[in-house]
Amino acid sequence: QVQLVESGGGLVQPGGSLRLSCAASGNFFGPRSMAWYRQAPGKQRELVASITNTGTTNYADSLKDRFTISSRGNNQNTIDLQMDSLEPDDTAVYYCKATLSLARADFWGQGTQVTVSS
């Protein structure tokens, strides 16, 4: 099992910035990746950005100019999502996901609310 603890999120004005963090613990070794997804009310959950344990990143095309994903810490098992120039359309619940590549197993965090509003 892999446990995920998310932090960050909250209310920010348009044009502001927020930083989300997600720490993975437990049996999280070997080829693996972590990612941030988001789900706005009435919409499907969508990928925001992902990063592998070797540092390869992937972004949603519409977000790559404003969002940055990075990893840090012991075994690079903590990821951060720096979100700049936030817009009201970025309002959503943001979820952290951890994937064990060989086992093809996904683990999800509980989600953190991001609200962009004046």
Side-chain angles (χ1 to χ4, degrees):
Q1 282 291 336
V2 175
Q3 295 78 42
L4 300 174
V5 177
E6 300 161 338
S7 61
L11 174 65
V12 64
Q13 292 187 340
S17 298
L18 277 177
R19 188 177 186 88
L20 306 181
S21 296
C22 177
S25 61
N27 296 324
F28 195 48
F29 302 102
R32 61 197 183 276
S33 63
M34 297 181 72
W36 284 101
Y37 283 72
R38 69 183 185 183
Q39 187 166 19
K43 295 186 178 181
Q44 290 189 330
R45 192 172 296 190
E46 62 177 356
L47 173 69
V48 174
S50 66
I51 186 167
T52 69
N53 61 298
T54 58
T56 300
T57 57
N58 182 48
Y59 292 90
D61 286 341
S62 62
L63 300 175
K64 63 177 59 177
D65 292 335
R66 299 188 293 117
F67 290 13
T68 303
I69 192 169
S70 59
S71 60
R72 58 181 170 90
N74 188 27
N75 293 324
Q76 303 295 304
N77 281 355
T78 296
I79 61 169
D80 299 308
L81 183 70
Q82 178 66 38
M83 304 184 293
D84 298 319
S85 302
L86 284 163
E87 304 168 355
D89 283 348
D90 295 318
T91 296
V93 178
Y94 284 70
Y95 295 91
C96 178
K97 186 180 84 168
T99 299
L100 290 171
S101 302
L102 295 180
R104 300 183 181 179
D106 292 330
F107 303 89
W108 290 89
Q110 77 282 4
T112 185
Q113 177 70 46
V114 172
T115 301
V116 184
S117 175
S118 56

